[in-house]
Amino acid sequence: MNPYEAISAATTPEETRAAMQARRRLRLVRIVVIFTVLVVVVATIGFFYGRHWTRQAMRDALPQLDGSISISGLSAPVTVLRDSHGVPHLRASTLDDLVMAQGYVTAQDRLWQMDALRRHASGNLAEILGASLIAHDRAQRTLQIRAAADRALAILPPDQLHLLESYAAGVNASIATQSAHLPLEFRLIRYQPAPWTPRDSLLVGLVMFQDLTTSFPQELNREALTARLPENLIADLYPVGSWRDHPPAQPIVDLTAPQTDIPDVPLDESQTKLRRPAVSSASVEDLLALQQTLKNPVCEGCFAGSNDWVVSGAHTATGKPLLSNDMHLAHNVPGIWYQADLEAGDLHVSGVSLPGVPFIIVGHNAHVAWGFTNLGAEVQDVYVEHTRGSGSTGEYEAADGSWHLLLHQQEIIHVKGAKDIVLDVPATQHGTAVTPIISGIFPSEKRSLSLRWTIYDPANVTPSFLAINSATDGASLVSAFSTFGGPAQNLVYADDQRHIGYHSVGKIPIRGSIAAPSPISPVPADALDATQEWVGTIPYENMPRSLDPPNGILATANARVTSDDYPYPVTLNWAAPYRNERIWKVLAERSAATKDHLTPADMLTLQTDVYSDLDHVIAQRLAYAIDHTTKPEFTTDKSAAKRLHQAADLLRDWNGSMDADAAAPAIVVATRAALWTLLLNPQLKGQPEARFDLQPSSTPPTAASLYTWGNKSYAEEWLIMHTPSRWLPSTNVTWDDLLTAAVSKALVDAHAPADLTKWRFGQFHPIDIEHPIYSQSPILQRVIGLPIGTGVQPQSGDDATVKQVGRSFGPSERFTADLSDLDHSTLNLVLGESSNPASPWFMDQWPAWYHGTTFPMPFTNAAVDAAATHTLTLTPR
């Protein structure tokens, strides 16, 4: 009987009420069911409509590849040939047309990235992305990067300004072409890109400058950490060199010989001779927040830099040099580099460009090839200023004792969906340079800290690579770099006359005195300390360099490039030496093994090499420690003892290769991280004593997290091999016990499986490259329904291998130039040329990067014509 029949049949009021309630419940159920069905139907329709709309939007945003496009400003047609990977090969009649076409084509594939880069540099991201980016924008405005670009633009030579204007005209023509079907990112965020200007190209160049030279957080981290540690431990943490170093100009050394004794950590003069200002008042939380805001470091132990090397024809199968370069940077979608081939008149150059900047940054022309690694020179100093007053009447004290009004720069930060933020950035002046006071980045900092940086000298913001791209041999290439302002780099090169060479480039400050330079201060210096005032830069002819060395090999990998007797301080914070050492050893061994028949394939094998001498040495020491521990926690608990001895056996039998499917690398890398907590926390004032329990660590980050030294891994190796008693916690354990405790803690913290043979390093240390916009919304990812990044993938290698990698860090390209036949050169980006997931060139290069293969790099007209799959002609309007 249904509720309606029940009402008719009811004989009492109670039965009637019950029947009516049943009727209402039934009606409610029907409404809920109908509503649910409608919601599901609407959601399904909405989902498929959303997918259709996004897919259509992405397809509409794909560039025209064939036929012709008329644009204003060209003097003659420009041919754009694209090969199977979408690499544009541009042929123009004039340089102006070529640069304009480069801007147009680059914006076809990378307009969103170019816009994001200029906004990142200038501190304008909150305007489109909202309040979550305020901290980022505040930091960028305080650092005065946009002001640095404006000052550089004001003094730019007319010929360089003209080239930037031509490039901007090409970008703007591309924006006009795309206006009706902009890339999806613009449509989702609902804004139009502003016209491109020469200043924007300078801003994009300054993004790279910032990524490769920002060291001031490490100065502040070091200051805060050392203030909390016993003085007798500081030198151990901050080595400035090692027995493993191999500067490129150094005489040949036998790197194959075993090292039976690791020498003491070398000290630098600055640790004892510099006048110390007041102790840091910035909190650990503020300093760690800055690291997150600046995304520095991008991975533990990684050094933003690269590998590069060159071997002479004496070692190659062809008798001509081979040059290889893989630049290590943060991974993004799309990747930082855009491959291009440019030809106009006598200029013909091919390689990788920086979207937003004309010409080729790394590559080769018809006569010479070149590559870079980051030198890591100290081009930033933090000063503790003497100030009084506030606001418009605030003053700072100069070195001569006089007082001057603080300079002020007003910045307005536009915030999407919120009120504008007005930011006042005070500044002092050192010499002719304006030095912004950066204390506002740290809410807890009570001192007035100013930053001096080479970008604040507008002459150092040099945008043009034309002379570099046009070099006719190694000598003219080196000459072209003589005016290069930075970021300071290690340049290696080879030419078709069989010369190979190395030269460091970029402006590096001299402090105190030209005749007798002062040591670099490792922490903020007193603003009145004359020994830390900049008095010039290292003369170009005195920079580290080498030409045609007798051994026929040159290599750099961010490690120390200066000899012990080099007269100018360059930096205290070289990268760890392991990658550089490995490259020298492998090149020497392979050239001997192949009887000087090295090929481009050998270069790629070395670029993807994942042997780690650091991890191998530490693994053997850990196995020994487990075998000899006497700590009851690790001997009486049978389950724990069995697990530790299984770890020891895996470590002992391991060959040192950081393979993705091996267990030992996961054990040693996890232990290295755990060891620093056990070493530092007991020594830090106010931190708890070392713990050896077998529970996962859930303590928040401490001051130990401020230890971010480039040579940290060498300090770690030195401590483990020397086992100084001063580092043992007060429980008087032995180093064997401490190292065993680190292994135990690592296994628990890293959630290692019960059977350690099933642990996989690649899963513990994966790669994950995601789109900065699309990855923020799982719903949007489902709607797009296309790959928008790599996802979490296992990978081999770590911070100490030639293939230096982190979760979102690693080789941003792999390039090898074959000077015997440039058509045999190779180049591989991480993902692809396009930023559009609907493009076949969005991630087509990823499988090759991931699996360690590469692609040919056609250069001659015949090779390019044979490889071309699309032809577009840009014609004058």
Side-chain angles (χ1 to χ4, degrees):
M1 182 180 295
N2 64 45
Y4 298 96
E5 293 172 338
I7 292 173
S8 300
T11 58
T12 66
E14 290 78 9
E15 290 176 339
T16 301
R17 283 195 296 271
M20 292 180 68
Q21 288 174 353
R23 181 182 178 185
R24 284 195 292 269
R25 283 196 297 271
L26 179 61
R27 183 183 301 166
L28 180 61
V29 168
R30 287 178 174 174
I31 291 172
V32 170
V33 169
I34 294 171
F35 180 77
T36 301
V37 170
L38 288 174
V39 168
V40 170
V41 170
V42 171
T44 302
I45 294 173
F47 174 83
F48 284 104
Y49 175 78
R51 172 165 290 187
H52 171 76
W53 183 85
T54 56
R55 292 278 184 89
Q56 188 63 45
M58 288 189 291
R59 285 193 293 268
D60 288 344
L62 292 172
Q64 180 179 335
L65 304 175
D66 296 287
S68 64
I69 300 175
S70 297
I71 59 177
S72 299
L74 289 177
S75 66
V78 177
T79 302
V80 182
L81 302 170
R82 291 199 188 239
D83 60 27
S84 60
H85 294 290
V87 177
H89 301 261
L90 279 62
R91 297 173 182 169
S93 300
T94 68
L95 183 62
D96 285 354
D97 287 348
L98 179 68
V99 171
M100 184 176 180
Q102 185 186 9
Y104 185 93
V105 172
T106 304
Q108 279 188 309
D109 290 323
R110 299 289 188 91
L111 179 59
W112 156 254
Q113 179 189 30
M114 293 164 63
D115 187 71
L117 285 172
R118 63 175 169 177
R119 285 182 173 276
H120 161 59
S122 61
N124 278 332
L125 286 175
E127 183 176 17
I128 60 170
L129 297 177
S132 63
L133 273 297
I134 289 175
H136 168 275
D137 286 0
R138 186 185 297 273
Q140 296 296 83
R141 300 295 186 94
T142 300
L143 294 175
Q144 292 288 281
I145 295 174
R146 183 169 63 177
D150 287 336
R151 287 194 291 267
L153 187 66
I155 68 161
L156 208 60
D159 58 333
Q160 292 191 28
L161 178 61
H162 175 73
L163 290 171
L164 293 186
E165 289 172 339
S166 296
Y167 187 87
V171 175
N172 290 327
S174 190
I175 292 174
T177 302
Q178 299 179 60
S179 61
H181 45 80
L182 286 168
L184 182 61
E185 294 93 338
F186 291 105
R187 302 179 72 172
L188 290 174
I189 302 173
R190 298 182 180 180
Y191 82 100
Q192 297 280 327
W196 196 263
T197 67
R199 181 180 76 169
D200 295 326
S201 291
L202 298 184
L203 284 169
V204 171
L206 286 172
V207 169
M208 189 62 68
F209 216 125
Q210 182 179 22
D211 287 349
L212 296 180
T213 67
T214 295
S215 61
F216 80 89
Q218 291 178 334
E219 282 190 37
L220 297 171
N221 289 352
R222 177 168 176 169
E223 178 190 45
L225 183 62
T226 55
R228 292 166 168 82
L229 285 172
E231 190 171 350
N232 66 326
L233 303 181
I234 305 303
D236 296 337
L237 295 178
Y238 296 102
V240 294
S242 76
W243 64 270
R244 294 178 181 271
D245 291 334
H246 192 304
Q250 178 176 301
I252 299 173
V253 295
D254 185 4
L255 290 170
T256 62
Q259 185 75 17
T260 57
D261 178 51
I262 299 179
D264 288 340
V265 173
L267 300 179
D268 63 274
E269 296 178 272
S270 66
Q271 294 188 9
T272 57
K273 292 186 177 180
L274 286 171
R275 170 182 169 187
R276 297 285 180 257
V279 176
S280 169
S281 56
S283 68
V284 171
E285 291 75 16
D286 283 348
L287 294 172
L288 293 177
L290 178 64
Q291 288 183 187
Q292 178 61 28
T293 297
L294 298 179
K295 296 296 186 293
N296 181 32
V298 290
C299 75
E300 176 65 17
C302 293
F303 192 97
S306 317
N307 305 313
D308 64 6
W309 60 83
V310 60
V311 293
S312 72
H315 297 298
T316 68
T318 64
K320 290 288 187 73
L322 289 170
L323 178 145
S324 289
N325 184 207
D326 53 293
M327 295 179 281
H328 300 169
L329 298 166
H331 290 315
N332 298 288
V333 178
I336 188 64
W337 302 114
Y338 182 74
Q339 186 178 347
D341 176 24
L342 311 176
E343 183 177 4
D346 294 333
L347 175 67
H348 188 189
V349 60
S350 183
V352 294
S353 66
L354 186 60
V357 177
F359 301 114
I360 297 298
I361 305 300
V362 161
H364 69 78
N365 60 27
H367 303 289
V368 61
W370 68 95
F372 296 126
T373 68
N374 192 24
L375 180 60
E378 188 60 67
V379 298
Q380 290 185 329
D381 279 344
V382 177
Y383 299 132
V384 181
E385 298 285 356
H386 298 233
T387 61
R388 64 187 183 190
S390 62
S392 61
T393 60
E395 295 179 304
Y396 70 96
E397 186 178 9
D400 61 2
S402 60
W403 289 83
H404 304 269
L405 286 174
L406 288 167
L407 307 173
H408 290 271
Q409 173 72 35
Q410 188 179 82
E411 301 280 348
I412 300 176
I413 301 174
H414 301 297
V415 184
K416 183 178 182 179
K419 292 182 179 180
D420 291 348
I421 295 174
V422 179
L423 179 67
D424 177 65
V425 182
T428 65
Q429 192 160 334
H430 287 261
T432 59
V434 175
T435 51
I437 291 179
I438 61 172
S439 304
I441 300 176
F442 312 100
S444 57
E445 180 61 69
K446 296 179 175 57
R447 301 171 297 173
S448 293
L449 301 179
S450 69
L451 178 68
R452 189 159 191 186
W453 191 1
T454 49
I455 71 165
Y456 299 147
D457 179 349
N460 291 333
V461 184
T462 49
S464 180
F465 264 58
L466 174 59
I468 295 158
N469 287 190
S470 304
T472 56
D473 55 20
S476 60
L477 181 79
V478 169
S479 177
F481 272 106
S482 63
T483 58
F484 180 69
Q489 300 288 290
N490 296 304
L491 167 73
V492 299
Y493 59 91
D495 66 24
D496 57 0
Q497 302 303 307
R498 292 184 168 85
H499 297 296
I500 66 171
Y502 158 78
H503 205 295
S504 55
V505 300
K507 304 300 183 183
I508 303 174
I510 297 174
R511 297 159 178 87
S513 167
I514 295 289
S518 300
I520 298 169
S521 175
V523 296
D526 192 296
L528 305 185
D529 185 351
T531 68
Q532 290 304 295
E533 194 63 56
W534 295 6
V535 294
T537 59
I538 299 176
Y540 189 62
E541 62 275 12
N542 293 339
M543 296 276 271
R545 66 191 189 279
S546 178
L547 177 64
D548 295 328
N551 66 339
I553 298 172
L554 287 167
T556 69
N558 315 120
R560 185 166 67 95
V561 299
T562 57
S563 58
D564 292 338
D565 59 353
Y566 187 69
Y568 301 102
V570 173
T571 184
L572 304 178
N573 193 16
W574 304 105
Y578 304 101
R579 287 184 291 119
N580 188 55
E581 178 190 43
R582 176 70 174 167
I583 292 167
W584 284 93
K585 290 177 69 172
V586 169
L587 288 175
E589 290 169 355
R590 285 192 180 161
S591 62
T594 61
K595 296 183 180 179
D596 299 331
H597 291 161
L598 291 175
T599 67
D602 295 312
M603 304 298 99
L604 180 62
T605 299
L606 181 52
Q607 287 178 328
T608 55
D609 183 89
V610 292
Y611 172 80
S612 171
D613 199 48
L614 167 69
D615 292 293
H616 198 196
V617 166
I618 291 178
Q620 300 302 308
R621 180 65 182 89
L622 294 176
Y624 178 91
I626 293 171
D627 290 343
H628 292 81
T629 185
T630 59
K631 199 72 175 173
E633 295 96 313
F634 313 125
T635 57
T636 59
D637 185 329
K638 292 184 179 180
S639 177
K642 181 180 179 180
R643 184 172 167 86
L644 284 169
H645 283 291
Q646 185 185 36
D649 290 340
L650 289 168
L651 293 170
R652 191 176 4 259
D653 296 338
W654 177 51
N655 64 4
S657 183
M658 308 296 286
D659 295 321
D661 59 355
I667 298 171
V668 70
V669 169
T671 301
R672 287 173 54 195
L675 178 61
W676 280 113
T677 301
L678 297 180
L679 282 172
L680 288 171
N681 273 1
Q683 305 290 350
L684 290 167
K685 299 170 185 177
Q687 295 299 328
E689 184 58 273
R691 297 172 56 193
F692 301 119
D693 59 85
L694 303 181
Q695 299 300 316
S697 172
S698 58
T699 56
T702 67
S705 303
L706 300 177
Y707 183 37
T708 56
W709 200 239
N711 231 334
K712 176 180 179 179
S713 54
Y714 178 72
E716 179 182 358
E717 180 192 13
W718 186 90
L719 288 171
I720 289 174
M721 303 311 293
H722 279 74
T723 61
S725 59
R726 60 183 173 272
W727 276 97
L728 289 175
S730 59
T731 49
N732 294 319
V733 297
T734 67
W735 267 86
D736 289 335
D737 295 335
L738 179 62
L739 294 174
T740 303
V743 176
S744 178
K745 176 177 172 58
L747 297 180
V748 175
D749 289 353
H751 304 285
D755 182 357
L756 293 178
T757 62
K758 296 181 180 179
W759 205 8
R760 296 293 176 262
F761 175 63
Q763 296 171 345
F764 172 69
H765 188 71
I767 186 171
D768 183 17
I769 311 175
E770 301 293 348
H771 192 284
I773 301 298
Y774 304 152
S775 63
Q776 300 304 308
S777 170
I779 295 177
L780 180 59
Q781 293 178 49
R782 289 181 176 275
V783 169
I784 291 174
L786 295 170
I788 58 169
T790 64
V792 180
Q793 302 290 334
Q795 70 173 336
S796 58
D798 73 346
D799 61 291
T801 57
V802 176
K803 179 190 171 186
Q804 182 190 208
V805 291
R807 188 180 183 94
S808 58
F809 179 92
S812 58
E813 45 72 60
R814 294 190 182 108
F815 164 57
T816 291
D818 184 346
L819 273 297
S820 70
D821 184 345
L822 292 171
D823 288 332
H824 290 164
S825 300
T826 60
L827 180 61
N828 178 205
L829 302 181
V830 182
L831 299 176
E833 288 282 79
S834 176
S835 62
N836 188 335
S839 169
W841 303 319
F842 176 62
M843 287 184 58
D844 61 311
Q845 299 195 43
W846 163 249
W849 186 95
Y850 185 64
H851 295 292
T853 61
T854 191
F855 304 109
M857 187 180 173
F859 181 69
T860 64
N861 285 350
V864 170
D865 290 341
T869 58
H870 297 277
T871 302
L872 174 70
T873 304
L874 303 178
T875 61
R877 178 177 297 173

